[in-house]
Amino acid sequence: NGETRFNFGNIGGVKQYQNGKLKCSKCGEFKNLDEFPDDRYGSSNGKRSNCSTCDVIRNKQYRESSKLD
């Protein structure tokens, strides 16, 4: 039906849905739920707020920034 609805998680985060798709908090694209990693810790829908593609980038940046010289 094209409407945007909001679902508030346990921690107060806002997740946006449109046409059954979830909006990634990082890239801003609406994607299918299967394109989001599972979140076992307090997520209202069992999925992280960032998509798998953005999660891979975030993890890579974290690993690179935390390397010991």
Side-chain angles (χ1 to χ4, degrees), residues 3-51:
E3 73 180 26
T4 300
R5 64 185 174 93
F6 297 93
N7 184 19
F8 295 88
N10 294 338
I11 305 174
V14 176
K15 294 184 179 178
Q16 276 188 310
Y17 293 86
Q18 190 174 59
N19 296 327
K21 295 184 177 187
L22 178 62
K23 184 176 182 180
C24 174
S25 63
K26 194 74 172 163
C27 67
E29 294 182 34
F30 285 94
K31 298 183 177 189
N32 293 321
L33 284 178
D34 62 355
E35 296 182 65
F36 289 82
D38 292 335
D39 183 5
R40 299 181 302 254
Y41 307 104
S43 176
S44 60
N45 66 351
K47 297 292 184 178
R48 294 185 58 117
S49 60
N50 50 297
C51 69

